[in-house]
Amino acid sequence: IGGMATDSQLLLALADFGYMINLFNLMPIGSLDGGKIGEAIHPYVGVVGLMGGSSLIFLGAMSNPIFYLVMLTGVYSTGSRLLSYHKLFGFEEEESVDFYNISRRSQAGISLGYVGLIAALLFAMNENDKYRKTPKQLRGEEKKDEWAIEDYFNDKEEQ
């Protein structure tokens, strides 16, 4: 809002960065906030998140080594939660006792809040993009301003 009100490209860029960081953090992978929320909704949401993250890597949309580390920790935490949930191989975590013991109503509320937050961030990011300008657009505006100043002084000289 501040960037739009003041037409500050710096504030608009910072807001865009904040939206991206928040959306990244809400991905349902491992120890990210979205992973914790997703696992509270249902243990298999983490698997869906890992499939989504894997597809981002496979398609080349995400090539940051930090994302690879996030995915590795996600595989470990999601796998250990699933093994604990199904009590396979004698695998049990302390948090698993109460972690999945959430009422359906609470799960629905968490799901609604989770999806609502993602939708609000995407909407805000879309609105922000309407006002944010690319460096090329900013350079074009600078040239127009230079031409306007030159025209002003040329008109003064002619009079």
Side-chain angles (χ1 to χ4, degrees):
I1 295 174
M4 292 178 215
T6 61
D7 196 30
S8 170
Q9 292 301 307
L10 175 63
L11 291 178
L12 291 169
L14 287 172
D16 195 55
F17 179 73
Y19 297 138
M20 288 297 292
I21 290 294
N22 278 292
L23 286 169
F24 177 79
N25 193 32
L26 287 173
M27 291 177 68
I29 298 173
S31 60
L32 296 175
D33 288 345
K36 296 289 187 180
I37 295 168
E39 297 285 343
I41 294 169
H42 195 276
Y44 285 99
V45 172
V47 175
V48 173
L50 288 174
M51 290 176 11
S54 298
S55 66
L56 288 175
I57 291 172
F58 180 73
L59 295 173
M62 192 69 75
S63 60
N64 190 321
I66 293 173
F67 187 69
Y68 300 152
L69 292 174
V70 168
M71 286 294 292
L72 285 174
T73 60
V75 167
Y76 173 76
S77 63
T78 301
S80 63
R81 283 198 186 119
L82 284 175
L83 290 174
S84 174
Y85 179 73
H86 293 294
K87 295 179 179 40
L88 296 174
F89 307 113
F91 208 95
E92 288 194 38
E93 290 182 350
E94 293 176 19
E95 70 177 21
S96 68
V97 176
D98 293 325
F99 194 73
Y100 299 113
N101 196 11
I102 299 174
S103 69
R104 295 283 183 210
R105 184 177 181 150
S106 294
Q107 286 177 337
I110 291 169
S111 300
L112 186 63
Y114 180 60
V115 171
L117 180 57
I118 291 171
L121 285 168
L122 289 172
F123 176 77
M125 191 174 195
N126 185 44
E127 289 300 308
N128 190 52
D129 281 346
K130 293 177 184 177
Y131 295 94
R132 194 171 46 89
K133 297 174 184 166
T134 64
K136 186 176 181 179
Q137 290 172 320
L138 291 172
R139 282 192 296 274
E141 286 180 4
E142 286 176 4
K143 287 181 182 178
K144 287 179 187 175
D145 289 342
E146 289 173 9
W147 293 334
I149 292 170
E150 287 177 18
D151 289 344
Y152 174 77
F153 285 116
N154 287 338
D155 289 344
K156 287 279 191 185
E157 290 175 2
E158 290 175 6
Q159 291 176 357

